[in-house]
Amino acid sequence: MFQDTKEEFYDLTVVGISDGRQYNLQPSVMVPFRTWDELRPQGGQSAPNAELVANLVAVRVAEGSDLAAMADRIESQVADVEVVDRVTAYEATPGYSAQQSTLDTQRYFALLIGILVIGGFFQILTLQKVAQIGMLKAIGASNFVVGTAAIVQIIAVTVIGVALGAAFTLALSLGFPPTVPIVFSPAAISAAILSLLLIGPIGGLVSVRYSLKVEPLTALGLAQ
Amino acid sequence: MERNMFALETRNVVKAYGTGTSVTKAVDGVTIGVRSGEFVALVGPSGSGKTTLLAMLAGLLKPTDGELMIDGQELGQMSEAQRTAFRRQKIGFTFQANNLVPYLTALENVELMLRLNGRLDKAGKARARDLLERLGLGDKLNNLPRQLSGGQQQRVAIARALIHDPAVVLADEPTASLDTERAFQVVETFAAMIREQNRAGIMVTHDLRMVQYVDRVLQMRDGKMAREITDRDEIFAMASTGLHDAPVAVELPRPAPQLVLEPVVVR
Ligand SMILES: Nc1ncnc2c1ncn2[C@@H]1O[C@H](COP(=O)(O)OP(=O)(O)O)[C@@H](O)[C@H]1O
Ligand SMILES: [Mg+2]
């Protein structure tokens, strides 16, 4: 017990378990409205809160209803209520947008770091091949041939890498406990795979440029 | 015409590095000519300009001055792209090291030269196989470079330098990483192939023992052509002085086992 708060316990009967119902990544319990009114914090004497209230009431309308007219009617008949569509409602959940922007930032930084790491990886491979590239140019391989070979190899390595990574991620996700709030939707997976396939070649561009600049004179140990 | 006598010819070719007062002439007015079927050694102390001259002959470096003709074409006037195409068509090249692509087999490394020229057909594949067999690598066709000895790698490089019917074959220190026995074998084979296939061959070497296999020795000093030796006895005398410009005569090892080179119809 601290300040005005007092713990109380209630017995509730579980009649069923639903899938994927969470509020702010916390597990949630669905109870009838009246039960909720009994359970909810009633406030101290200073703030009597006798009225039956809800933060949010979800309304399911019949197929083909006029949504605007429905919203007008609700707003005119219920006091202190604002009617919004579903997306606006959950975006207004406390902390939602803050958390979402954190996740988005992480996502974009992961891609940026991916470009740098993959680019660095290709650059190291290219540096190891300077002698070989110089030799190829000395015997007459054109920049077109060298550049094409570099791009084809970068794409091949990226495709194989992303395929392995995706398979590994899938296997890992199968082992997630159900409490981990991650949903793999086909759209999200395709977006991730697509952006990974793109960042390989983008990261590799620097090394393609580098391999074009290798001088054939290196084959004679004479590069300037 | 005198010009057409030579597969390769330079006239007063100069390569200068640096600007203003600090100009060094790495190659300083060199005039040479090499005929088809002739094998020439380019020797001289370190820093005398051998590699620089070789780089110009290969179209890798633009001369500062002078003329440079290979197979009747003037290299100095060519663009970078033209010189690259010229190299892959007219020039065969072997290097001191890093000659081969490590991921390709011996046969594929030789075929690469035809592939670069867009000429890798059935006949080309057969010729590549043939050439390697004649260089004693018949049982190593599908070996990767790392599964070959240094001498075997140099022979693969020799095959690659010859497979595309080049006018000129250039070799930069082909024996630098080989032991004595292998060095003699490689150069002897090289010389035989150049004569048989009627190429103009130039070999840069600091190992004077190797000159016993050439027709002519060009000795450079300070960027200039200091001496030209055509006399067989003089060439053998030079070869017997051993490595570098050592003043003491060394005994030449017994001739390396002869490679049997069967006659072959080129093209
Ligand atoms: N890129 C360069 N810049 C300046 N000087 C060079 C360069 N390359 C070679 N040289 C100089 O040119 C001379 C000839 O060098 P090089 O052709 O390598 O001789 P060699 O192969 O006979 O040892 C040397 O004095 C060398 O220092
Ligand atoms: Mg040199």
Side-chain angles (χ1 to χ4, degrees):
Chain A
M1 210 169 92
F2 52 95
Q3 291 203 339
D4 274 354
T5 316
K6 182 176 65 171
E7 272 187 37
E8 282 183 51
F9 296 92
Y10 299 91
D11 286 328
L12 296 173
T13 310
V14 177
V15 295
I17 295 175
S18 71
D19 257 351
R21 294 276 179 264
Q22 290 189 332
Y23 183 76
N24 264 356
L25 308 185
Q26 297 298 317
S28 55
V29 177
M30 294 208 205
V31 293
F33 196 36
R34 290 282 165 199
T35 314
W36 160 243
D37 191 49
E38 269 172 48
L39 304 184
R40 73 190 170 93
Q42 301 291 336
Q45 300 92 322
S46 54
N49 199 355
E51 225 181 306
L52 180 56
V53 293
N55 282 337
L56 197 83
V57 177
V59 179
R60 176 178 289 160
V61 294
E63 192 90 31
S65 318
D66 181 351
L67 291 179
M70 186 65 75
D72 281 345
R73 265 175 73 191
I74 293 174
E75 278 179 351
S76 65
Q77 291 178 16
V78 185
D80 298 329
V81 78
E82 188 190 350
V83 180
V84 294
D85 62 38
R86 211 163 52 151
V87 172
T88 317
Y90 70 67
E91 279 181 352
T93 317
Y96 176 86
S97 63
Q99 186 165 46
Q100 200 58 38
S101 73
T102 308
L103 283 176
D104 285 345
T105 310
Q106 283 177 7
R107 193 175 297 164
Y108 297 136
F109 264 94
L111 284 181
L112 196 71
I113 291 166
I115 291 178
L116 293 177
V117 169
I118 294 176
F121 167 78
F122 283 131
Q123 185 68 18
I124 291 170
L125 287 183
T126 309
L127 285 173
Q128 287 174 336
K129 289 186 183 178
V130 165
Q132 192 189 319
I133 296 170
M135 179 278 288
L136 285 171
K137 288 187 175 183
I139 65 170
S142 63
N143 263 339
F144 177 79
V145 165
V146 171
T148 311
I151 290 169
V152 167
Q153 287 175 39
I154 282 170
I155 289 176
V157 169
T158 306
V159 167
I160 294 169
V162 170
L164 285 176
F168 186 70
T169 308
L170 182 69
L172 197 70
S173 74
L174 294 177
F176 278 168
T179 47
V180 175
I182 293 182
V183 178
F184 288 99
S185 72
I189 293 172
S190 333
I193 288 180
L194 221 87
S195 35
L196 284 172
L197 285 179
L198 276 179
I199 65 174
I202 291 172
L205 277 183
V206 178
S207 37
V208 173
R209 202 179 117 83
Y210 189 88
S211 60
L212 293 183
K213 290 202 144 182
V214 171
E215 287 209 35
L217 276 174
T218 49
L220 291 175
L222 263 189
Q224 285 145 326
Chain B
M1 293 295 290
E2 191 203 352
R3 286 230 134 163
N4 297 334
M5 287 174 58
F6 297 110
L8 176 154
E9 189 180 12
T10 72
R11 289 223 176 141
N12 284 317
V13 79
V14 174
K15 182 69 198 181
Y17 290 111
T19 48
T21 51
S22 64
V23 172
T24 359
K25 287 186 173 170
V27 171
D28 189 2
V30 166
T31 301
I32 56 169
V34 182
R35 292 177 184 83
S36 297
E38 191 184 23
F39 190 28
V40 170
L42 194 57
V43 301
S46 177
S48 58
K50 306 183 294 292
T51 304
T52 305
L53 180 60
L54 194 76
M56 287 193 287
L57 296 179
L60 293 174
L61 262 184
K62 263 197 165 161
T64 313
D65 202 4
E67 280 175 59
L68 220 162
M69 305 275 292
I70 290 182
D71 206 27
Q73 281 176 275
E74 167 67 51
L75 260 73
Q77 307 303 318
M78 292 185 190
S79 72
E80 175 99 35
Q82 283 173 320
R83 278 186 284 141
T84 305
F86 188 79
R87 277 203 298 281
R88 85 177 152 254
Q89 291 158 9
K90 297 287 183 189
I91 293 174
F93 227 143
T94 78
F95 310 97
Q96 269 185 52
N98 301 309
N99 262 305
L100 308 177
V101 179
Y103 323 105
L104 300 182
T105 64
L107 184 61
E108 287 165 344
N109 264 289
V110 178
E111 290 174 350
L112 175 67
M113 204 61 232
L114 294 175
R115 197 183 289 275
L116 285 177
N117 276 304
R119 279 173 52 194
L120 183 59
D121 51 12
K122 237 184 172 152
K125 286 183 179 200
R127 273 197 305 139
R129 192 176 284 267
D130 242 43
L131 197 50
L132 282 171
E133 273 165 10
R134 298 189 52 246
L135 287 164
L137 293 168
D139 55 342
K140 307 276 189 232
L141 295 177
N142 297 314
N143 284 33
L144 292 173
R146 64 164 180 275
Q147 300 164 321
L148 299 172
S149 71
Q152 289 166 340
Q153 289 183 26
Q154 275 295 348
R155 284 186 199 187
V156 176
I158 289 171
R160 189 195 57 202
L162 294 168
I163 190 69
H164 56 301
D165 308 321
V168 172
V169 179
L170 305 172
D172 183 30
E173 301 274 7
T175 60
S177 55
L178 304 184
D179 59 49
T180 305
E181 193 86 348
R182 290 220 169 88
F184 281 108
Q185 279 180 22
V186 162
V187 177
E188 184 181 28
T189 311
F190 202 6
M193 296 297 257
I194 279 168
R195 292 188 188 112
E196 179 193 296
Q197 301 203 353
N198 208 29
R199 317 288 177 214
I202 298 187
M203 167 178 68
V204 167
T205 184
H206 68 270
D207 185 347
L208 292 185
R209 296 172 307 174
M210 298 304 148
V211 305
Q212 63 175 302
Y213 298 108
V214 304
D215 304 305
R216 190 150 53 107
V217 179
L218 301 174
Q219 191 169 32
M220 288 187 78
R221 183 151 288 141
D222 299 329
K224 294 191 168 70
M225 205 46 78
R227 202 172 148 211
E228 181 181 346
I229 312 172
T230 44
D231 184 77
R232 291 280 344 134
D233 292 339
E234 273 187 69
I235 289 176
F236 271 100
M238 180 180 232
S240 65
T241 61
L243 285 163
H244 314 288
D245 291 274
V248 223
V250 293
E251 197 189 327
L252 278 174
R254 275 187 304 278
Q258 291 284 322
L259 259 164
V260 187
L261 294 177
E262 286 156 23
V264 73
V265 186
V266 181
R267 253 182 281 212

